[in-house]
Amino acid sequence: MRTVRGGEAPLDYDDSKRLAVSPKSADRHIVARHSGARPEVLYYLTGDGDHEVRASVAANESTPVQADLILARDRDERVRIDLAQKIARLTPALSEEQHDRLRDMTIEALEILVRDQVTRVREVIAIALKDVVTAPTHVIRTLARDSEIVVAGPVLQFSPLLADEDLLEIIHGAPIAGSLTAIARRVAVTGPVADAIGDSPDAAAITALLENPSAQIREETLDRLVDRAPEVSAWHRPLVSRPWLPATAARKLARFVAQNLLQLLTERRDLDPETAREVKTMVLQRIDAEPNAGEDPLPGKAPGRSVVSEALARARVLKAAGTLDEASVVAAMGSDRTFVRAALAALGDLPMEVVDRVLAAHSPKGVTALAWHCRLSMQAAVKVQIQLGQIAPSAALRPTGGGYPLSEEAMRWQLEFFGGVVAPVVH
């Protein structure tokens, strides 16, 4: 029998027998859930007509394992669920030193439960054993091949007992929906497993694989995924953000990822100097070739050069007069963005092309650096990011302690990248 775990004093034998045969279910419940009840009385109660009494016996850690084997086949799923929760809780404590018969019978009960027709019974065990290194390996393998993802998923993602051979067999078989995604999220996905997921048609699993920084994705596999990526936008950000990116992959990505990801690509520090220069050139060419994000076009028509020139001339006159300040920039932001672009160029002594290039990149860091260079407050920089840079409010950089969240060096680098001046700016 199991050791009493509940800390309750042993229940008087005569009292327990009297309560166990009482016509009142409340009396029988007292015995069924008492950790000090005698094993033979608990065994007797496995045949009780009240399923709630049997469920209490199933949950009782003092119930002998012989009774657990009976309850594992109980007709009521609530009983089997309670038993599954207890067995799963006790399984990690099983050891080779325990009595072989006790251990074997406990595992036998576990084997019955992992094949239960009720999903919730199997799910309870899978969640409890998902990362237990002492769990029976064959039980983990059974759970990993379950037909329901709520059962297989936790084990596929977390169990250290699954070898690459197990995972590859599942991937190459007829995997259920979600199983490859669970595998892709494992800690330290190995090269062969990453290759198999990368060669699959499961786009969601590949997204999870790319988002997993510990996944060991080989260069050939990563290159194939980059070739497929133009049609799968969900892969773009995780590809650009991979801890390691081959030069060939970086060059390809620079040709098609969205502008808000381009600067992330250029900020990578693992690219060799030649590749970094090529990527920067391609990025700037793309930004220059696409429409300016900061303009206020009339229906079907972008502002002509005369409109831009007039706005720039007006901004320079106001600056010379000392009346071009943050308040005027913020006031015009909702009604005359062409003037605001011109005002930024005038305030920062920048070519209009540089201002437009920064805004067109939709980069929170780039727009923030532009606002800093123009001596705007960080509060105004947030508005410039959202209204002119068309950056989502959730992605916009916010003040840190009321000031700019980036270092001066970082902001100067941003301006240099877009072709602006790099001399220190005194604020």
Side-chain angles (χ1 to χ4, degrees), residues 157 182-191 193-194 208-218 238 241-244:
Q157 182 172 348
I183 295 173
R185 290 174 176 158
R186 289 174 66 86
V187 174
V189 177
T190 64
V193 174
L209 182 72
L210 294 171
E211 290 174 342
N212 184 347
S214 66
Q216 301 171 23
I217 307 177
R218 294 191 285 210
S241 303
R242 284 296 302 168
W244 171 78

Side-chain angles (χ1 to χ4, degrees), residues 98-112:
Q98 286 183 284
H99 191 282
D100 288 345
R101 179 62 178 159
L102 171 62
R103 186 175 190 278
D104 291 347
M105 292 178 72
T106 302
I107 292 177
E108 183 181 349
L110 188 61
E111 290 169 344
I112 295 170

Side-chain angles (χ1 to χ4, degrees), residues 215-249:
Q216 301 171 23
I217 307 177
R218 294 191 285 210
E219 182 171 351
E220 296 80 1
T221 300
L222 201 58
D223 205 46
R224 288 198 299 273
L225 292 176
V226 170
D227 287 339
R228 294 167 57 187
E231 305 302 321
V232 190
S233 60
W235 296 357
H236 295 183
R237 180 174 289 276
L239 275 168
V240 169
S241 303
R242 284 296 302 168
W244 171 78
L245 197 62
T248 53

Side-chain angles (χ1 to χ4, degrees), residues 47 57 63 114 135 149 166 186 195 229 263 275 283-284 304 323 328 348-349:
V57 175
T63 298
V114 297
I149 191 59
D166 298 309
R186 289 174 66 86
D195 288 347
Q263 198 168 2
T275 301
V283 167
L284 293 179
T323 57
S328 60
D349 292 321

Side-chain angles (χ1 to χ4, degrees), residues 88-284:
R89 189 170 63 250
L90 296 176
T91 297
L94 293 175
S95 66
E96 298 293 345
E97 289 73 27
Q98 286 183 284
H99 191 282
D100 288 345
R101 179 62 178 159
L102 171 62
R103 186 175 190 278
D104 291 347
M105 292 178 72
T106 302
I107 292 177
E108 183 181 349
L110 188 61
E111 290 169 344
I112 295 170
L113 293 169
V114 297
R115 291 181 171 84
D116 198 284
Q117 64 180 354
V118 175
T119 301
R120 178 58 183 158
V121 174
R122 309 192 307 274
E123 181 186 2
V124 164
I125 296 174
I127 292 173
L129 299 184
K130 67 181 185 297
D131 53 1
V132 176
V133 296
T134 57
T137 303
H138 69 285
V139 169
I140 294 298
R141 287 173 175 160
T142 298
L143 292 169
R145 291 165 173 79
D146 198 274
S147 60
E148 299 289 341
I149 191 59
V150 293
V151 179
V155 173
L156 289 172
Q157 182 172 348
F158 296 106
S159 180
L161 300 178
L162 294 175
D164 277 4
E165 291 74 15
D166 298 309
L167 300 174
L168 290 170
E169 180 184 327
I170 291 170
I171 294 170
H172 293 311
I176 60 173
S179 59
L180 268 63
T181 298
I183 295 173
R185 290 174 176 158
R186 289 174 66 86
V187 174
V189 177
T190 64
V193 174
D195 288 347
I197 295 173
D199 289 337
S200 78
D202 193 330
I206 294 173
T207 301
L209 182 72
L210 294 171
E211 290 174 342
N212 184 347
S214 66
Q216 301 171 23
I217 307 177
R218 294 191 285 210
E219 182 171 351
E220 296 80 1
T221 300
L222 201 58
D223 205 46
R224 288 198 299 273
L225 292 176
V226 170
D227 287 339
R228 294 167 57 187
E231 305 302 321
V232 190
S233 60
W235 296 357
H236 295 183
R237 180 174 289 276
L239 275 168
V240 169
S241 303
R242 284 296 302 168
W244 171 78
L245 197 62
T248 53
R251 294 188 189 100
K252 291 177 181 178
L253 288 169
R255 296 189 181 99
F256 65 80
V257 296
Q259 285 195 1
N260 64 319
L261 299 178
L262 285 174
Q263 198 168 2
L264 290 178
L265 192 60
T266 63
E267 291 173 353
R268 297 187 63 94
R269 293 292 180 259
D270 60 332
L271 302 178
D272 62 85
E274 181 180 353
T275 301
R277 283 193 298 271
E278 289 183 37
V279 168
K280 177 178 177 179
T281 299
M282 285 188 282
V283 167
L284 293 179

Side-chain angles (χ1 to χ4, degrees), residues 369-391:
L370 174 63
W372 169 81
H373 180 74
C374 295
R375 297 178 174 82
L376 302 182
S377 69
M378 187 57 207
Q379 287 73 22
V382 174
K383 296 179 180 179
V384 176
Q385 289 178 76
I386 296 171
Q387 295 188 42
L388 246 65
Q390 298 178 351
I391 294 164

